[in-house]
Amino acid sequence: MLDIQLWLKDAMEDLGMQLAIVSQVEGNHYRVVAAYSSLDLVRQGDEFEVDSTYCREVLRQAQTVAYERVGAITEMCLHPCYQALHLESYIGTPLEKDGKILGTLNFSSLTARAAAFTEKEKTHVESLAKEYLASV
């Protein structure tokens, strides 16, 4: 059985991020199923509107989305998540089962990344999502 906290911690550290979240999404309702963080920003059980999260783009595009420097993207500077938490870097991917997106696996940080997320890192996050889904 997967120790979700240790699993999220290891994945978060591998990516050099500060926050790891598994979310469940229904309509515009986003619920934190599990979280690990070196910050005190988000906790298991927290709920948000999808539109106030970076995951909104993951769900709209139904694919992995990554931002290395949110503050440098004009249209993202006014995003509710950026305004509230100032999360500078983000990578998230859908948790998809039987053709339906159930939520997201995502990682973020208050600091911008020096370089864009690599294809290897994106593939790693997608593999982690599959690993998570296989464990639940």
Side-chain angles (χ1 to χ4, degrees):
M1 182 159 175
L2 187 67
D3 177 340
I4 191 72
Q5 291 298 303
L6 181 59
W7 182 80
L8 284 173
K9 177 184 182 286
D10 288 347
M12 180 191 78
E13 290 173 351
D14 284 349
L15 292 164
M17 303 298 265
Q18 296 175 298
L19 174 63
I21 297 174
V22 173
S23 74
Q24 178 182 23
V25 175
E26 292 178 28
N28 195 34
H29 183 77
Y30 176 104
R31 186 173 66 82
V32 177
V33 173
Y36 185 89
S37 179
S38 60
L39 310 167
D40 191 25
L41 296 176
V42 179
R43 294 189 177 134
Q44 180 178 342
D46 285 352
E47 297 183 2
F48 307 95
E49 289 185 9
V50 168
D51 289 341
S52 70
T53 70
Y54 292 157
C55 292
R56 149 182 94 179
E57 287 307 310
V58 172
L59 299 167
R60 283 184 184 163
Q61 296 179 34
Q63 66 182 13
T64 302
V65 171
Y67 305 115
E68 64 271 0
R69 186 178 297 270
V70 174
I73 306 169
T74 304
E75 63 272 13
M76 292 295 289
C77 288
L78 296 177
H79 191 287
C81 187
Y82 188 74
Q83 291 290 307
L85 304 175
H86 296 285
L87 294 172
E88 275 292 339
S89 53
Y90 168 90
I91 186 168
T93 198
L95 293 172
E96 187 174 345
K97 196 167 196 173
D98 300 325
K100 181 180 180 201
I101 297 176
L102 306 173
T104 63
L105 171 64
N106 62 87
F107 303 89
S108 51
S109 183
L110 291 171
T111 56
R113 289 174 54 100
F117 286 95
T118 65
E119 286 305 313
K120 184 177 178 182
E121 288 171 316
K122 292 175 185 177
T123 300
H124 179 59
V125 171
E126 291 164 359
S127 295
L128 288 167
K130 290 176 185 166
E131 182 180 341
Y132 173 78
L133 286 169
S135 75
V136 292

